[in-house]
Amino acid sequence: MSKSSPTFSKGGIHPRESKELTEHLPIEAMPPPEEVDILLLQHFGSPCRVLVDKKATVIEGETIGVVDAGLGASVHSSVSGTVKSIGASPHPVRVEAPSVTIRRDPQAEPKVFTPSEWEHFSPEELLEKIRNAGLVGLGGAGFPTHLKLSPPPGTRLDKLILNAAECEPYLNCDNRTMIEFPHEILTGARIILRILGIKECHIGIENNKQEAIWVLSRAAAESTAPDCKISVNPLMVKYPQGSEKQLIQTITGRRVPYPGLPFDVGVMVINVGTAKTIHDAVVLEKPLYERVVTISGRAIARPANLMVRIGTRLSDIVTFLGGTMDNLARIVVGGPMMGFSIPTTDLPVMKTTSGVLFLSDDEIDSRPHGPCIRCGKCVEVCSMGLSPNEVGIYVEAGRARDTAQFGVFECFECGACAFVCPAKRPLVQFTRLAKAKARK
Amino acid sequence: MIPPAWSVSISPHLKSTESVEKIMWTVVACLIPSLILSVFVFGLRALIIAAISTASCVAVEAATQKLLKRPVTVRDGSAVITGLLLAFCIPPGVPLWMPIPGAIMAIYVAKHLLGGIGFNIFNPALIGRAFLVATFPVAMTSAWLAPIHDAAVFGSLGGIDAVSTATPLYVLKHYGMNAVIERFGAPSTLYWDFFVGWRPGCIGETSALLLTLGGLYLMLRRYISWHIPVATVLSVGFFSWVFGGEKLFTGDPVLAVLSGGVILGAFFMATDYVTSPNGNAAKLVFGAGVGALTVLIRLKGGYPEGVCYAILLMNPLSPALEGWFKPKRFAPPKGATT
């Protein structure tokens, strides 16, 4: 089956998947922690303006931060309790970001959401609900969803693609969401189709998630949606299949030219987990204040797929799961290919936290790198047709600013080149440096 | 606060299990069967020369790196490969000290003075051989040993006085195809002997069978691709067939491929990462060039054999070939120079 399934045309790698650690574990609700640190900056864009004062009482789902201007999405309290402090918390990318710490009231009743009919809302009203719920893309970059669903006027779209490839090793949050919430995802897809005024949706799933493919295909066949066509597209297992451009090419044959965006070729790509939160935001009017996080790696006592309140500190998760092993060598937020390693477990879960990996010393490779032996493997696996080896040599020679000719800005840092490099060269790091210097 | 015990580094956090050391030592392993066979063909002397060559390459590398204050990396196996390949392309009857100046030239000059592993322009082993041919031409072109046909293999240390033969290419070049058949047998036995390795020649180049098996294993592990070996072999065969006979299209392509260092060069020397291009199209052109130059040198040059110089002449073209055959970008900006 996997042989005949489509995939992108060039490059790609097959890293050890390690999905088996958590793929059959149902999503488990982690009890809310005593305190949460809610970051006011969870995505690209501007930080939120705080709406609450110290010592104020907040309830679960209450808006505590809004964005006045520019890119952004509002944030909500994930617990009921009192504001303990307004300060800063560690952030996986920016080192530190402003945050609100809330102490939970153990007596508070959990909030209950009742579903409502969504079909009679206009696209504008649907978008407003999504904006109010503070949705951002759950796939990684965290682009605010209401902005993504408002393409510039004159944009002609004809296809929605739900990105369910989940090609990063270890991660299963999308996989479990598909298995456990297929109807919510399909409703989310129909809401997006309504907003965009189009009728065709493809769900691209890698072949290593047979159960999700089966569950979603059955749900799609049963659903009675006369005005739209939703299909499940099984894809070959190959990293980075979940990259937007590679996914669009696989499913539609269209190529998004740099520096274009998917809507330039008539396509909108939304992460499958985001579609579920769109359902929650519209049908339940539930803000995005909890999410599924895969906690995995061979150095955590108990791997799990957890429903976690945004703002939960990783240290609380570690305690809940029984601690870490002695051979813990690296903690990674996100997937192992593109995630960020972090120096502290004080870091809170964000809207974009798809996974937290506790990797043991035999899972990582921290050997020092050597000179390029020109084996060409990085060129072979680059799905963008670039030459990472040349970028690396230029950077080492102090000529990083001359690397635009190699198309460094087309690189989306999937890390396939650094994965295969036998000399263990930090090719992603070289490319980031090259981008920074060449931009000036 | 106690600093955390775990490491922070850039993505990706997973790496393949490949390493430079693993690749290099696998290549060494793929060369060993040919070396063992050469002991049966030429006697223990072949092994001694290979040992001297390898040891001197490793020693020169260690000394050079100490001298240049660079980290000593002899464990990566690349100097061992150079040593073996240097031994593989010199005649078994040369004086035992002969590999030492070759090793100095190969490792010190061709490899480390040009930047060390990854930066050399020319294949170091072939530079070593070219240097020896230029400085000790008599030994390098006449110290051949006839294959041993009895069981007294390990008693035979060979020696200068054992020089008693000429290589098939020498005979072909100077006396023609009929002389080759007269000397080495009818085409059927001749092809078989050459394929297995029972013929005079350099230490490691005689057995097309074992060298091909080693090369195929490297392909299976995806350490090399088929492009350079296949292009080289087809090119040698084609041009030998067209120009190798007395009239056009009467040459013997099979003999041309099986004799001399074509198979050794195609699988183990022209495919050297550092000195050959990346990219499949560039590799095909590179291999075809090696083959064409080999035949040109064999037919028109001063030496009966041409593989060594053919590869050395193609080596510096690698960067240009990569420039001409760049990988196709996925979807570059409009007007980008790809």
Side-chain angles (χ1 to χ4, degrees):
Chain A
M1 180 162 185
S2 66
K3 278 271 182 231
S4 63
S5 300
T7 189
F8 51 96
S9 57
K10 189 191 174 299
I13 54 170
H14 299 274
R16 179 177 167 193
E17 289 172 21
S18 298
K19 300 245 187 205
E20 69 282 358
L21 294 172
T22 57
E23 70 183 318
H24 299 298
L25 303 176
I27 298 169
E28 176 187 354
M30 178 178 161
E34 280 178 29
E35 278 181 16
V36 290
D37 300 320
I38 297 179
L39 290 168
L40 294 165
L41 181 58
Q42 306 229 358
H43 43 70
F44 293 150
S46 331
C48 288
R49 177 169 59 85
V50 196
L51 294 180
V52 291
D53 296 316
K54 198 175 165 183
K55 292 185 180 157
T57 307
V58 293
I59 58 164
E60 191 176 328
E62 183 180 332
T63 310
I64 56 171
V66 289
V67 173
D68 298 317
L71 280 177
S74 50
V75 295
H76 304 77
S77 176
S78 56
V79 293
S80 299
T82 48
V83 177
K84 183 183 167 193
S85 62
I86 296 170
S89 290
H91 185 287
V93 188
R94 291 167 191 251
V95 183
E96 209 175 67
S99 72
V100 177
T101 301
I102 298 168
R103 176 164 273 279
R104 184 171 67 91
D105 170 12
Q107 312 301 324
E109 292 289 316
K111 186 148 180 168
V112 181
F113 296 95
T114 46
S116 65
E117 291 296 317
W118 62 274
E119 272 94 347
H120 59 274
F121 288 121
S122 70
E124 291 73 26
E125 287 166 326
L126 293 170
L127 268 180
E128 186 60 18
K129 285 178 187 295
I130 289 169
R131 197 175 72 90
N132 290 341
L135 298 198
V136 303
L138 300 190
F143 193 80
T145 306
H146 67 279
L147 295 174
K148 188 162 188 179
L149 293 176
S150 319
T155 307
R156 291 170 61 94
L157 293 173
D158 64 343
K159 282 186 173 68
L160 167 69
I161 294 177
L162 290 194
N163 187 349
E166 199 165 49
C167 60
E168 277 271 8
Y170 292 90
L171 299 188
N172 273 306
C173 50
D174 288 350
N175 186 19
R176 289 312 307 181
T177 304
M178 289 188 277
I179 293 169
E180 299 178 37
F181 302 99
H183 298 288
E184 287 83 350
I185 288 168
L186 292 176
T187 304
R190 288 173 59 205
I191 293 169
I192 303 168
L193 292 175
R194 161 78 67 88
I195 293 172
L196 300 175
I198 57 175
K199 296 192 158 50
E200 194 181 334
C201 171
H202 297 270
I203 307 178
I205 313 179
E206 277 191 340
N207 253 328
N208 53 0
K209 303 169 192 70
Q210 286 296 325
E211 194 179 353
I213 292 172
W214 188 79
V215 168
L216 268 182
S217 304
R218 203 184 52 164
E222 283 170 358
S223 81
T224 49
D227 57 335
C228 60
K229 194 173 135 242
I230 300 180
S231 62
V232 176
N233 297 42
L235 310 171
M236 192 195 283
V237 180
K238 189 166 80 172
Y239 181 87
Q241 182 61 72
S243 154
E244 210 164 58
K245 291 183 178 185
Q246 273 59 33
L247 188 65
I248 292 171
Q249 197 232 326
T250 305
I251 292 178
T252 70
R254 301 172 194 172
R255 286 170 193 255
V256 184
Y258 179 85
L261 290 167
F263 61 67
D264 291 335
V265 295
V267 182
M268 170 76 65
V269 181
I270 300 276
N271 169 270
V272 72
T274 312
K276 197 255 175 190
T277 63
I278 287 174
H279 161 275
D280 295 348
V282 171
V283 176
L284 304 177
E285 297 200 23
K286 179 184 171 183
L288 176 54
Y289 64 80
E290 58 180 3
R291 69 157 295 156
V292 186
V293 183
T294 297
I295 313 290
S296 192
R298 290 173 175 84
I300 182 90
R302 179 165 77 87
N305 294 299
L306 292 183
M307 182 67 88
V308 184
R309 309 284 168 133
I310 305 297
T312 303
R313 293 177 196 136
L314 302 188
S315 51
D316 288 333
I317 296 178
V318 171
T319 310
F320 176 67
L321 292 176
T324 55
M325 311 292 194
D326 289 341
N327 59 358
L328 173 64
R330 194 175 291 174
I331 303 180
V332 173
V333 172
M337 295 303 295
M338 290 186 71
F340 296 87
S341 66
I342 50 165
T344 168
T345 52
D346 292 336
L347 196 107
V349 167
M350 310 180 7
K351 293 175 185 177
T352 49
T353 307
S354 48
V356 185
L357 308 179
F358 296 83
L359 301 175
S360 61
D361 41 25
D362 53 347
E363 287 174 281
I364 64 165
D365 187 336
S366 40
R367 277 180 281 178
H369 74 271
C372 173
I373 58 165
R374 293 178 35 82
C375 67
K377 292 235 178 254
C378 56
V379 181
E380 208 176 291
V381 301
C382 180
S383 58
M384 296 306 285
L386 307 175
S387 302
N389 54 348
E390 301 204 54
V391 176
I393 288 168
Y394 266 62
V395 169
E396 278 189 323
R399 291 184 59 193
R401 65 182 70 248
D402 302 330
T403 53
Q405 56 175 312
F406 302 122
V408 283
F409 292 110
E410 286 152 59
C411 168
F412 57 95
E413 302 176 13
C414 74
C417 51
F419 175 85
V420 296
C421 180
K424 309 294 163 195
R425 291 168 66 73
L427 295 168
V428 175
Q429 181 78 313
F430 285 147
T431 302
R432 284 188 186 165
L433 251 161
K435 284 180 182 173
K437 297 262 182 179
R439 203 171 270 135
K440 277 174 192 162
Chain B
M1 193 190 125
I2 303 162
W6 52 84
S7 68
V8 178
S9 84
I10 202 79
S11 63
H13 306 285
L14 298 184
K15 304 269 172 75
S16 70
T17 54
E18 291 303 345
S19 66
V20 174
E21 292 76 20
K22 213 163 149 179
I23 295 172
M24 297 295 174
W25 286 109
T26 307
V27 175
V28 171
C30 289
L31 290 169
I32 296 298
S34 299
L35 179 63
I36 294 171
L37 181 84
S38 76
V39 176
F40 284 94
V41 177
F42 301 122
L44 216 48
R45 200 185 166 81
L47 186 64
I48 294 169
I49 289 180
I52 291 172
S53 173
T54 307
S56 38
C57 278
V58 171
V60 172
E61 171 139 306
T64 306
Q65 290 180 320
K66 279 243 159 72
L67 194 76
L68 298 176
K69 297 193 170 56
R70 292 176 184 167
V72 176
T73 58
V74 289
R75 281 163 187 273
D76 72 9
S78 63
V80 176
I81 294 182
T82 303
L84 278 177
L85 289 178
L86 177 63
F88 273 32
C89 59
I90 56 183
V94 296
L96 294 179
W97 53 264
M98 193 77 106
I100 298 171
I104 294 170
M105 199 63 195
I107 299 287
Y108 178 67
V109 178
K111 185 175 179 183
H112 286 291
L113 289 192
L114 289 173
I117 189 168
F119 294 97
N120 48 301
I121 303 161
F122 299 101
N123 185 315
L126 290 176
I127 289 284
R129 179 184 189 271
F131 170 74
L132 293 179
V133 172
T135 44
F136 308 101
V138 177
M140 286 297 288
T141 55
S142 65
W144 311 108
L145 298 182
I148 298 165
H149 278 281
D150 57 45
V153 171
F154 291 100
S156 166
L157 283 174
I160 298 300
D161 47 324
V163 172
S164 62
T165 190
T167 63
L169 281 173
Y170 181 85
V171 177
L172 181 69
K173 187 176 177 79
H174 295 282
Y175 304 100
M177 189 64 195
N178 289 336
V180 174
I181 291 170
E182 193 181 306
R183 184 152 188 159
F184 296 100
S188 55
T189 51
L190 175 135
Y191 288 163
W192 177 251
D193 279 359
F194 279 37
F195 180 67
V196 175
W198 223 263
R199 51 128 169 147
C202 294
I203 287 172
E205 73 182 19
T206 63
S207 175
L209 172 66
L210 293 179
L211 290 168
T212 307
L213 286 178
L216 288 177
Y217 182 71
L218 291 180
M219 285 183 203
L220 190 77
R221 294 285 299 269
R222 299 179 67 96
Y223 288 168
I224 62 173
S225 74
W226 58 268
H227 301 83
I228 290 177
V230 168
T232 304
V233 167
L234 287 182
S235 172
V236 169
F238 175 77
F239 288 109
S240 300
W241 172 58
V242 175
F243 301 109
E246 280 164 24
K247 280 182 279 177
L248 282 184
F249 304 107
T250 58
D252 185 335
V254 181
L255 181 69
V257 167
L258 293 179
S259 57
V262 174
I263 299 291
L264 176 67
F267 282 103
F268 290 95
M269 289 171 160
T271 54
D272 172 35
Y273 289 150
V274 188
T275 57
S276 71
N278 297 321
N280 297 340
K283 285 177 181 173
L284 289 175
V285 175
F286 183 86
V290 169
L293 287 172
T294 299
V295 176
L296 182 67
I297 295 167
R298 279 184 179 182
L299 297 179
K300 300 289 171 199
Y303 300 109
E305 168 62 313
V307 176
C308 167
Y309 291 103
I311 296 173
L312 286 175
L313 287 168
M314 289 305 288
N315 282 161
L317 274 176
S318 296
L321 284 170
E322 278 179 8
W324 296 333
F325 299 98
K326 284 207 167 126
K328 203 165 168 263
R329 302 244 285 260
F330 180 80
K334 282 205 174 76
T337 51
T338 55

